[in-house]
Amino acid sequence: RGYLAPECYCGEKIAITHKFDLYSLGVIIIEILTGKKGYQIAIENVLEIWSNMMLDALQWEQLRVCARIGIECTDLDPGKRPASMKHIVDALAQTECSTHLSPAGGESELLLLQQFTLCFPFEPNKVITCPLQLTNNTDKHVAFRLTDKSMESSFIRLPLYGIVPPNTPFTLIITTQEKEELPQKYIIDVILHNATLILEDDEYINTFQSQPDNFFREMGNAVQEVKLKALYTLPRHITPSLSKLISPTIKDNNRR
């Protein structure tokens, strides 16, 4: 059917409205994101297609928003499509002003990352691993903490703590919890905190080793923060429903 809205084929006289144009726009957006026209997608399908790309946090959020807009614009019910182009422009503009994240301690980076997306191919009842490459290009030891932004239980075993020696690459292996089914919340924001650790200062070392969260709290503005995305990717024969993608998050009370 190409770019025409499905109501054009109903065989009845209908009034032409801007909803027709919104449908065509949605088809174009989905075609750009997936390389296919008339492809019925869920947001997760788009994220999987782009999962091997080097995206920063802002680009990842823009991708998610564009996928949502494409899905909403191509809804078979014209009444469920966006109210106007202004709503679409506002949604895109909001990603520009709300998702850019600079290190809390300044622009200089203590730890350099090779990726900003952690992808875990989902398999029932299996622990899945994903490496995260951290590089310390400074002359000092750098302590880090990787945690779920929401501080709630998630499908990843978090938090994780460690120390990267000076001028050294470090591979952090991140693992998932065993899950029989795909969890409702399978795309999460993950925060990497890092701060310089002075080995000559026994107090800082003892605090980090015994109470790492207190260490980062005491370091205050010296802590740098980087935002990443973590998600389960799915085999192509498994496609979650859109209602599951946008359903409210349910708190997991079985946190370890």
Side-chain angles (χ1 to χ4, degrees), residues 61-72:
E61 180 65 12
Q62 290 172 333
L63 180 64
R64 187 190 65 79
V65 171
C66 286
R68 177 173 59 81
I69 290 172
I71 292 170
E72 291 177 351

Side-chain angles (χ1 to χ4, degrees), residues 128-166:
I128 312 299
T129 64
C130 177
L132 177 62
Q133 186 73 36
L134 308 174
T135 301
N136 180 2
N137 284 336
T138 73
D139 295 325
K140 300 182 182 298
H141 287 74
V142 175
F144 68 83
R145 172 180 63 186
L146 188 69
T147 185
D148 187 333
K149 181 181 178 181
S150 69
M151 302 303 291
E152 297 180 353
S153 177
S154 67
F155 60 87
I156 303 178
R157 297 179 185 273
L158 294 175
L160 294 173
Y161 306 91
I163 299 174
V164 183

